Amino acid sequence: MKNHNSNNFTIEGIHFETGSPVRIEIADGIIVKTDEIRSLKNKAITLFVSPGLIDNQINGYAGVDFSGNNLTLEDVNRAANAVWRDGVTSFFPTLITNSHENLTRNLRILSEAVRTDEKLEDSIPGFHLEGPYISPDEGYRGCHPSQHIRKPKWEEFLGYQEAAGGKIIQITLAPEIEGAMEFIKLCSKNGIIVALGHTNASSELILQAVENGARLSTHLGNGCANFIHRHKNPIWQQLATDLLTPTIIVDGLHLLSEEVQVFYKVKGPENIILTSDVVHVIGMNPGKYVFLGSEVILTEEGMLYNPDLKCLAGASFPLKTGVENIMNFTGCSLTNAINMASRNVAGIFGLSGRCCLTEGARADIILFKGKGIK
């Protein structure tokens, strides 16, 4: 996020890629110069420096539900400030399957918030619509309310895009739904990134969706029934297809560590995106809450569970938890972990100026304690 203070300043830290001490000069929110130095001025504490994280799926934050019925401009600002404190400098507010009225109203509120606040405009490149064009099948729909799941209609979506001020840049859908293929083509033609998710599509349909322009898999390994065919299921083909980049939730609850290891080995660090899928209960005490019209339980371990549907209902950990966990689960380097939560997202969405520490880039920068460079 650009610094709007016109005063120039410098920061120092251990470069997340090189492992060397660097000094970064910043002016008007832009990196002017990055130099290697002999040592850091403050030797009492060693901080790493990297680009800020980019989260493409934030459903809510700090008690603010982006899909809630009472969303306000002030709520959006309050959520964003909490997101920034957790090291995410760019994020996509995500709206989940809901009524036509709810989606239209909340997209307008989000659009107005971004339009009228320069900091929000800098930090929010666009919005992510997860649904309502997903599988209605139990398990695959997850906690998405079944009464609002529907077939894709381009005219309806154009209405949502108008309400959003043209800022819907990602949509998650199921390719097996009637009309989905033509819809994918239209999205791709209009520069909207299509992600496959909450789907029970066959391998053939997944490949057809990719041919028509789908490029992401939303929280792969989740949004899936508990009992699936060991061979014919939607996970294998999405893993096997090079043109699909999976987003994964590495909070230690949505995927087992061995699943994360397999996804990492198959796709490689250049073709995985870390996402949080966090909802509004982040930071709240364990207990019962309401999400998408249903009662959910936040456990002591941070799991958010819908007891009626017997499924997870989003996450309660910030993206930085996934960065730390994927290092622990796979043994990958700090460099790769950061890039999976910044550079890889930027590459898909054309945000290259937000994911590096080079001259001319935006000063979207975080300082943190780290484990070191491998």
Side-chain angles (χ1 to χ4, degrees), residues 105-123:
R105 180 185 64 248
N106 287 14
L107 284 167
R108 283 181 178 148
I109 292 169
L110 287 168
S111 176
E112 181 70 5
V114 170
R115 187 183 67 82
T116 57
D117 188 306
E118 190 176 359
K119 288 185 179 179
L120 291 178
E121 183 180 27
D122 282 341
S123 181

Side-chain angles (χ1 to χ4, degrees), residues 153-230:
K153 294 181 180 179
W154 185 245
E155 294 76 16
E156 178 182 62
F157 176 76
L158 288 179
Y160 294 149
Q161 190 66 295
E162 181 181 3
K167 292 190 74 67
I168 299 174
I169 59 175
Q170 177 180 342
I171 184 164
T172 293
L173 55 75
E176 70 268 27
I177 303 301
E178 182 182 341
M181 292 303 171
E182 184 61 28
F183 188 85
I184 292 171
K185 288 181 184 178
L186 289 169
C187 284
S188 300
K189 182 179 178 181
N190 286 273
I192 299 156
I193 299 298
V194 175
L196 307 183
H198 291 281
T199 172
N200 189 22
S202 66
S203 291
E204 292 75 17
L205 285 174
I206 290 170
L207 288 174
Q208 187 179 345
V210 171
E211 289 174 2
N212 288 328
R215 288 296 175 264
L216 290 179
S217 297
T218 288
H219 51 51
L220 188 61
N222 297 112
C224 191
N226 288 326
F227 296 99
I228 58 177
H229 194 285
R230 62 180 176 176

Side-chain angles (χ1 to χ4, degrees), residues 257-289:
S257 61
E258 54 264 36
E259 291 177 286
V260 176
Q261 291 170 31
V262 170
F263 289 5
Y264 182 81
K265 289 176 180 179
V266 170
K267 290 293 188 176
E270 294 82 19
N271 200 29
I272 287 177
I273 286 174
L274 299 182
T275 195
S276 71
D277 196 25
V278 70
V279 303
H280 65 288
V281 302
I282 180 173
M284 294 185 178
N285 294 324
K288 294 181 180 179
Y289 297 91

Side-chain angles (χ1 to χ4, degrees), residues 316-369:
S316 70
F317 291 98
L319 185 56
K320 62 183 181 181
T321 298
V323 172
E324 181 177 359
N325 280 345
I326 201 163
M327 293 175 69
N328 291 331
F329 293 170
T330 69
C332 77
S333 66
L334 173 64
T335 300
N336 285 339
I338 291 290
N339 283 338
M340 284 186 277
S342 61
R343 186 189 65 188
N344 293 1
V345 199
I348 291 285
F349 291 95
L351 305 173
S352 59
R354 302 174 187 236
C355 63
C356 55
L357 300 179
T358 56
E359 180 180 336
R362 287 169 44 129
D364 289 3
I365 294 171
I366 55 175
L367 290 163
F368 57 94
K369 295 179 180 178

